[in-house]
Amino acid sequence: MSAGEKDGSVDRINGIKSTLRVVPDFPKPGILFLDITTLLLDPKAFKDTIDLFVERYKQRDISVVAGIEARGFMFGPAIALAIGAKFVPLRKPKKLPGEVISEKYVLEYGTDCLEMHLGAVEPGERALVVDDLVATGGTLCAAMNLLERAGAVVVECACVIEVPELKGRERLRLHGKPLYVLIESRFEPTSC
Amino acid sequence: MSAGENGDSAGRINGIKSALRVIPNFPKPGIMFQDITTLLLDPKAFKDTIDLFVERYKHETISVIAGIEARGFIFGPPIALAIGAKFVPLRKPKKLPGEVISEKYILEYGSDCLEMHVGAVESGDRALIVDDLIATGGTLCAAMNLLERAGAEVVECACVIEVPELKGRERLRSHGKPLYVLVESQFVPSS
């Protein structure tokens, strides 16, 4: 499901979309990088982004918002604060102090790993996973695995942007979980 | 200046302090790591943390909150949203796409580098820098340099925790800037 299907959301979505920028050939040639930092420079658009997520989740009994390092940290905490949920950072290896659980996942070339604190999440908790963007869905699946290994129920994954060609939505569907995004990517590079 | 000097702040500060935990020997032996993740697991304490910063800055005409990667990204955006300011992430090298300015700074062994997008900040912007903790002040000074090179005025640096022995406050004072923190670091490992 994407936002924009209710009255009042459409204008906010258009405003948010207009603040995003595409940076070509980053981090390597051929990649059109979708940059959310210009959204963060627009207080109204940033507030609208958070409000759209909060409106969707505030009555869903979400007790945990898990944010993926590092851009998930820019959106997750504000959502958690507004809905009264805990915020749990999911981090690259060796960043979290103390006892962690780790989930390895496969990249195009090689593997990576996501970690969560032991005890951050309890069995039966209802969790939302937040990141700025979903591409292949590999990182989101690793995040969901961490939360489920700790006994939580993942209610949904929420991102600002989806890159449909990379089929993250289908990958999450295989995992049995829905995806909610505000915007689908476009590929025309825009000037800032 | 530290928080806690108002009657009603003291209760909130105590709640925040009790939500923090200390992890001994992380990331290396001898370091007592001040962990804020347990604060984030306590919705009231996390909200109080943000509220205390917002109450201090909402009438200061701050137009930019700059947050230092990565734990500054957890506290900075909610403050920015509440006071209507821009949020600018200050990142390790090669993370920000597009044109950046870089500031190198010295660590105990070696050096590191902080980057900011060109054009994120304009001349005349009034900026607050946010991180979870201040130790020596080296990273905060690099952050201040980035903002000042872009023409902004740094109003203050704000952290949840200060480690006084590492003299970050003095280092910021040498840069001419004040520091505001909510709590000082603790030494007792909590379970």
Side-chain angles (χ1 to χ4, degrees), chain B residues 88-151:
Chain B
V88 174
L90 305 182
R91 300 209 64 175
K92 296 287 163 72
K94 300 193 182 10
K95 303 290 188 75
L96 290 171
E99 274 200 279
V100 297
I101 57 173
S102 295
E103 180 79 16
K104 218 170 170 177
Y105 61 105
I106 306 292
L107 296 173
E108 191 180 10
Y109 300 105
S111 64
D112 209 337
C113 191
L114 210 56
E115 295 188 337
M116 181 174 80
H117 267 136
V118 170
V121 164
E122 296 168 301
S123 219
D125 267 326
R126 284 169 53 80
L128 175 71
I129 302 176
V130 173
D131 206 355
D132 65 321
L133 179 145
I134 174 174
T136 64
T139 317
L140 283 170
C141 283
M144 290 193 286
N145 286 338
L146 281 171
L147 288 158
E148 289 169 351
R149 285 166 57 192

Side-chain angles (χ1 to χ4, degrees), chain B residues 35-85:
Chain B
D35 182 19
I36 50 88
T37 63
T38 44
L39 168 65
L40 310 177
L41 298 179
D42 180 334
K44 179 187 187 306
F46 187 19
K47 180 180 184 303
D48 286 345
T49 303
I50 300 302
D51 286 350
L52 283 160
F53 290 123
V54 170
E55 287 161 22
R56 179 174 180 80
Y57 297 113
K58 63 186 175 182
H59 299 305
E60 294 283 327
T61 337
I62 307 277
S63 55
V64 177
I65 308 277
I68 298 178
E69 169 162 19
R71 290 182 288 265
F73 293 178
I74 297 173
F75 297 97
I79 300 169
L81 286 160
I83 69 175

Side-chain angles (χ1 to χ4, degrees), chain A residues 30-34 108 133-138 161-172 179 185 187:
Chain A
I31 296 191
L32 291 166
F33 188 89
L34 284 140
E108 193 183 6
L133 182 144
V134 54
T136 62
I161 306 167
E162 172 184 9
V163 184
E165 295 74 14
L166 296 175
K167 304 194 184 303
R169 188 176 291 272
E170 283 73 11
R171 186 156 177 184
L172 262 65
L179 171 70
S185 61
F187 285 109

Side-chain angles (χ1 to χ4, degrees), chain A residues 41-94:
Chain A
L41 296 179
D42 183 326
K44 179 185 189 305
F46 187 19
K47 180 181 188 300
D48 286 344
T49 302
I50 299 302
D51 285 351
L52 283 160
F53 290 123
V54 169
E55 287 160 23
R56 180 174 179 81
Y57 297 113
K58 64 186 175 184
Q59 260 128 33
R60 303 279 303 270
D61 282 311
I62 307 274
S63 58
V64 179
V65 175
I68 298 179
E69 167 164 21
R71 289 184 289 267
F73 293 3
M74 299 177 197
F75 298 95
I79 299 166
L81 285 160
I83 69 176
K86 305 191 286 199
F87 177 73
V88 173
L90 305 181
R91 298 208 68 174
K92 295 290 163 72
K94 299 189 178 14

